[in-house]
């Protein structure tokens, strides 16, 4: 029952948000929400030894039995990992939000929507019935629409929200049909029954239709090619929404769904071909497209598209060889990318622009923010001893273990990692170092409250990297379902050599400014324009 409370508590807080903010102000509410989310995170960590000792936990309450609908909770290693990602990121982002908005901004309404989204996302990863999962899935799409289009007086915000809703909503309809077929083929809509029916489902004549429909739903939510275009457009959302939805949580819902369905639908040629090919292409494409832009949030959005592609690729690998890397990557990505979106918002808030053609040299004016940016940038680039380094090492290791097309896949993986390094250098160096390009910009230092959450997430990248075996291995191992090796430094092997190669070549791409400028001038078709 306490898991139900964890999922519904943000919804209850959302109901009191307008009155609380009106009576006490947005900053005290921000500290309250940050403390509550941190408490939820701490509470969920107590389940790690319980799950290791007892296995997955489930609770089922009948709701509409004739429809196969029940109020079910299902907690295993994967759902616990995602719950920790949601609550951990929320603890920093909720605090940030109270200091991000100005006095005359409708912060209470934003909090109401953000908290409802958090509740829907927690429900999505904790429910044990796939029809209830679909309800939470659609709630995240609707609330994402309301958050992306929060500045509704601007046409760009309205258009971005509508685009995200149409794309993810259409994918949701495909998912609904896939889940109905899945439940029919398995004889149950309960997750525990579906996960145990993998052999039956893979042999079922409906299997191809089920798999394609589920993948379509996941691809639209997690911005995989050719549905990637809605995520960069969603930069119109206020920064806390961008960080929470488009880096830490919602865009990982599709990745979560694929990982969740791996025991039931994975290990087939259809599954592996679609996820590996589309995931790898998205991984490389996202990084390449990010180098064409100067808006900080657009760069981060394309970088997120790229990382999501890497996770999809890893889940598509046979014999579970990519799951460890996917789960470590999901945790590391929430820490560094969530922070980088907050950094972009802080720069915009303090300087009045997030356009790299005008920025530069901010480090002397914002030394704390610059230090945070360097830390999370090093993690994203995959530099030891941060958690991002472990994530990159495990990604490359998984690529090297593929029993087919090993060379081609390894080249694609290293290329994606290289572009990630180049994007990181663009973000950090051209924002905080060198000479400011627009001397007329007025800078005011960000207050301590807006930096606190970012500093916590940056510190987490260091702590979880240094102590990855003690802090991450038990959870990741249980999520994977088998014994794994997870260490900070695996030794001077081929994976480490390729990782260092990605760092060096990524640095070279960054240094070749003329090459990057030429790439931005090459005309490319716009998927967003094609959508409209």
């Amino acid at each position: 029952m306490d898991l139900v409370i964890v999922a519904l508590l943000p919804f209850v807080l959302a109901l009191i948000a307008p009155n609380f903010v009106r009576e006490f102000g947005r900053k005290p509410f921000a500290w309250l929400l940050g403390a509550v989310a941190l408490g939820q995170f701490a509470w969920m960590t107590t389940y790690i030894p319980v799950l290791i000792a007892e296995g997955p936990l489930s609770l089922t309450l009948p709701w509409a039995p004739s429809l196969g609908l029940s109020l079910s909770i299902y907690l295993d290693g994967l759902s616990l990992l995602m719950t920790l990602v949601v609550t951990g990121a929320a603890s920093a982002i909720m605090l940030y939000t109270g200091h991000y908005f100005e006095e005359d901004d409708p912060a209470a309404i934003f909090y109401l929507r953000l908290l409802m989204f958090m509740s829907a996302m927690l429900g999505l990863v904790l429910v044990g019935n796939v029809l209830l999962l679909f309800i939470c899935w659609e709630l995240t799409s609707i609330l994402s629409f309301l958050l992306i289009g929060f500045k509704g007086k601007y046409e760009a915000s309205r258009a971005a929200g509508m685009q995200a809703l149409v794309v993810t909503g259409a994918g949701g309809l495909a998912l609904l049909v896939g889940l109905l077929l899945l439940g029919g083929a398995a004889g149950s809509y309960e997750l525990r029954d579906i996960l145990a029916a993998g052999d039956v489902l893979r042999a079922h004549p409906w299997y191809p239709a089920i798999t394609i429909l589920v993948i379509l739903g996941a691809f639209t939510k997690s911005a995989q090619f050719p549905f990637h275009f809605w995520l960069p457009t969603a930069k119109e959302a206020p920064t806390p929404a961008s960080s929470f939805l488009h880096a830490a949580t919602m865009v990982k819902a599709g990745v979560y769904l694929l990982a969740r369905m791996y025991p039931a639908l994975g290990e087939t040629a259809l599954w592996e071909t679609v996820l590996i090919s589309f995931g790898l292409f998205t991984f490389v494409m996202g990084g390449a497209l990010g180098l064409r832009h100067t808006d900080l949030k657009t760069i981060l959005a394309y970088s997120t598209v790229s990382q999501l592609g890497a996770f999809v690729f890893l889940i598509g690998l046979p014999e579970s060889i990519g799951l460890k890397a996917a789960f470590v990557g999901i945790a590391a990505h929430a820490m560094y990318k969530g922070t980088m979106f907050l950094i972009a918002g802080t720069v915009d808030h303090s300087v009045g622009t997030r356009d790299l053609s005008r920025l530069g040299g901010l480090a002397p004016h914002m030394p704390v923010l610059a230090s945070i940016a360097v830390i999370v940038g090093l993690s994203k680039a995959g530099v030891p001893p941060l958690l991002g380094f472990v994530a990159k090492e495990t990604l490359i290791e998984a690529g090297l273990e593929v029993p087919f097309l090993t060379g081609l896949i390894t080249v694609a993986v290293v290329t994606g990692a290289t572009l990630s390094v180049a994007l990181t250098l663009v973000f950090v160096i051209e924002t905080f170092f060198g000479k400011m390009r627009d001397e007329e910009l007025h800078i005011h230092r960000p207050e301590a409250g807006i930096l606190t959450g970012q500093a916590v997430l940056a510190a987490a990248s260091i702590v979880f990297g240094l102590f990855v075996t003690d802090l991450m291995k038990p959870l990741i191992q249980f999520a994977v379902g088998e014994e794994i090796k997870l260490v900070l430094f695996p030794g001077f092997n081929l994976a480490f050599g390729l990782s260092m190669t990605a760092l060096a070549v990524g640095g070279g791409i960054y240094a070749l400014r003329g090459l990057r400028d030429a790439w931005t001038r090459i005309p490319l078709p716009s998927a967003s324009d094609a959508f409209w």
Side-chain angles (χ1 to χ4, degrees):
M1 188 58 69
D2 54 337
L3 295 175
V4 178
I5 295 174
V6 168
L8 292 181
L9 183 57
F11 179 81
V12 174
L13 291 172
L15 299 180
I16 70 170
N19 288 333
F20 193 105
V21 173
R22 184 166 52 249
E23 291 294 326
F24 302 102
R26 68 191 191 284
K27 292 183 180 179
F29 193 52
W31 285 100
L32 171 65
L33 293 181
V36 169
L38 190 60
Q40 289 178 297
F41 178 89
W43 179 257
M44 292 306 300
T45 60
T46 64
Y47 277 94
I48 296 176
V50 176
L51 291 175
I52 292 174
E54 302 180 16
L57 305 177
S58 62
L59 169 69
T60 302
L61 300 174
W63 181 12
S66 61
L67 299 177
L69 196 57
S70 62
L71 297 173
S72 301
I73 295 293
Y74 184 80
L75 184 70
D76 64 356
L78 176 58
S79 52
L80 178 58
L81 171 65
M82 291 301 299
T83 303
L84 292 174
V85 166
V86 173
T87 54
S91 65
I93 294 167
M94 295 297 177
L95 175 59
Y96 176 95
T97 302
H99 298 83
Y100 172 81
F101 283 100
E102 303 292 347
E103 291 293 342
D104 55 346
D105 288 331
I109 301 301
F110 183 83
Y111 265 130
L112 186 149
R113 297 178 184 180
L114 193 65
L115 286 164
M116 286 187 170
F117 171 85
M118 180 181 174
S119 209
M121 189 67 202
L122 286 171
L124 192 156
V125 300
L126 285 173
V127 296
N129 181 285
V130 294
L131 297 182
L132 189 56
L133 182 149
F134 170 74
I135 292 173
C136 294
W137 182 278
E138 289 301 272
L139 282 173
T140 61
S141 291
I142 294 167
L143 290 164
S144 175
F145 160 73
L146 293 174
L147 287 164
I148 295 171
F150 185 73
K151 301 175 183 177
K153 62 182 179 180
Y154 299 110
E155 182 180 353
S157 295
R158 298 195 301 272
M162 182 60 68
Q163 188 175 79
L165 180 64
V166 170
V167 174
T168 59
L173 293 177
L175 176 62
L176 174 60
V177 178
L179 294 178
L180 291 173
L181 292 175
L182 179 65
S188 171
Y189 291 105
E190 295 298 306
L191 261 180
R192 62 178 181 270
D193 298 329
I194 291 172
L195 297 180
D199 292 337
V200 173
L201 290 169
R202 283 185 283 268
H204 201 281
W206 294 351
Y207 172 80
I210 293 170
T211 301
I212 292 299
L213 290 168
V214 168
I215 288 175
L216 276 174
F219 275 20
T220 55
K221 201 76 157 185
S222 288
Q224 295 300 286
F225 175 84
F227 309 107
H228 62 283
F229 55 88
W230 73 264
L231 182 53
T233 307
K235 68 182 180 182
E236 300 299 332
T239 292
S242 296
S243 180
F244 197 43
L245 279 66
H246 307 138
T249 60
M250 189 189 85
V251 290
K252 292 192 175 79
V255 173
Y256 165 78
L257 179 68
L258 294 173
R260 171 58 71 211
M261 292 301 165
Y262 182 90
L265 303 178
E267 299 288 352
T268 68
L270 174 62
W271 178 272
E272 293 169 5
T273 301
V274 174
L275 266 59
I276 290 174
S277 56
F278 279 85
L280 274 181
F281 183 79
T282 305
F283 184 27
V284 176
M285 178 204 67
L289 292 180
L291 289 173
R292 293 173 59 88
H293 295 274
T294 59
D295 179 86
L296 289 178
K297 286 178 70 173
T298 304
I299 291 171
L300 294 177
Y302 275 112
S303 177
T304 299
V305 168
S306 175
Q307 286 300 128
L308 293 170
F311 301 150
V312 168
F313 153 71
L314 290 168
I315 295 170
L317 295 179
E319 301 176 8
S320 305
I321 60 178
L323 294 185
K324 178 182 76 171
F327 297 156
V328 174
I330 286 170
H333 184 265
M335 295 176 197
Y336 65 68
K337 188 59 66 62
T339 309
M340 293 177 90
F341 267 105
L342 298 183
I343 291 169
T346 305
V347 169
D348 193 12
H349 189 268
S350 301
V351 184
T353 183
R354 55 176 193 257
D355 186 354
L356 285 178
S357 65
R358 302 180 64 195
L359 293 170
L362 294 182
H365 306 280
M366 306 176 183
V368 176
L369 187 66
S371 300
I372 294 171
V374 169
I375 292 171
V376 295
L378 291 173
S379 184
K380 182 180 181 301
V383 176
L386 292 103
L387 185 60
F389 169 73
V390 182
K392 187 174 70 170
E393 289 289 293
T394 54
L395 167 66
I396 295 175
E397 285 176 358
L400 291 171
E401 291 181 27
V402 180
F404 52 90
L405 299 178
T406 302
L408 179 62
I409 288 176
T410 301
V411 169
V413 168
V414 175
T415 300
T418 298
L419 292 170
S420 179
V421 171
L423 282 176
T424 304
L425 293 173
V426 169
F427 180 90
V428 175
I429 294 177
E430 296 193 7
T431 302
F432 293 99
F433 301 98
K435 183 181 179 181
M436 180 169 289
R437 297 165 185 83
D438 187 346
E439 298 290 346
E440 296 183 1
L441 291 177
H442 298 286
I443 304 169
H444 66 271
R445 291 192 176 188
E447 56 184 309
I450 206 171
L451 296 172
T452 304
Q454 301 174 65
V456 170
L457 287 178
S461 290
I462 300 174
V463 173
F464 281 93
L466 286 171
F467 303 102
V468 66
T469 302
D470 296 325
L471 297 179
M472 293 290 297
K473 182 182 175 181
L475 178 60
I476 300 298
Q477 183 167 286
F478 189 69
V480 173
E482 59 186 48
E483 182 73 25
I484 63 169
K485 178 183 178 182
L486 191 62
V487 296
L488 173 59
F489 181 61
F492 294 99
N493 52 25
L494 179 57
F496 179 78
L498 292 174
S499 177
M500 295 301 103
T501 300
L503 277 175
V505 178
I509 292 175
Y510 169 76
L512 296 174
R513 182 59 186 263
L515 180 63
R516 289 191 286 128
D517 289 343
W519 170 230
T520 63
R521 291 193 293 270
I522 298 175
L524 294 177
S526 167
S528 185
D529 289 346
F531 167 86
W532 291 114

